Amino acid sequence: MKPGIHPAYGPVVFRDRAANYAFLTRSTMTSDKTIEWEDGTTYPVVDVEISHVSHPFYTGTARVLDTAGRVERFERRYGRRGAR
């Protein structure tokens, strides 16, 4: 890598406010806010609105769309085009 052109890559705590959950990882993101982690070290903290703990896809509360019903409704409304 070229020196001096890449952002600093270090430990950062991401905190999901919706689920009251935080995890420590490495990132190039920075923040003025800090938090004392479980190991007693202070890390920058980035607040996020949604994470794998609160996202509907990962929690199993995602809605399944009825795509077959949509196709049938479209064909009823606009008719099925025959082969030319």
Side-chain angles (χ1 to χ4, degrees), residues 5 7 17 19 33 43 50 57 75-76 80 83:
I5 63 168
R17 292 299 213 162
K33 296 186 230 174
Y43 297 108
I50 199 160
F57 179 78
E75 288 177 351
R76 259 189 319 214
R80 182 175 214 148

Side-chain angles (χ1 to χ4, degrees), residues 2-70:
K2 272 187 167 176
I5 63 168
H6 299 285
Y9 182 72
V12 177
V13 174
F14 285 93
R15 181 171 49 190
D16 183 354
R17 292 299 213 162
N20 197 20
Y21 178 77
F23 57 95
L24 177 66
T25 187
R26 295 178 56 88
S27 177
T28 57
M29 290 188 74
T30 59
S31 175
D32 295 333
K33 296 186 230 174
T34 59
I35 190 171
E36 186 173 332
W37 193 244
E38 300 160 353
D39 60 1
T41 308
T42 302
Y43 297 108
V45 63
V46 176
D47 290 325
V48 294
E49 294 182 21
I50 199 160
S51 71
H52 69 283
V53 176
S54 59
H55 194 279
F57 179 78
Y58 295 107
T59 59
T61 59
R63 294 182 301 155
V64 176
L65 297 176
D66 181 21
T67 55
R70 287 183 174 186

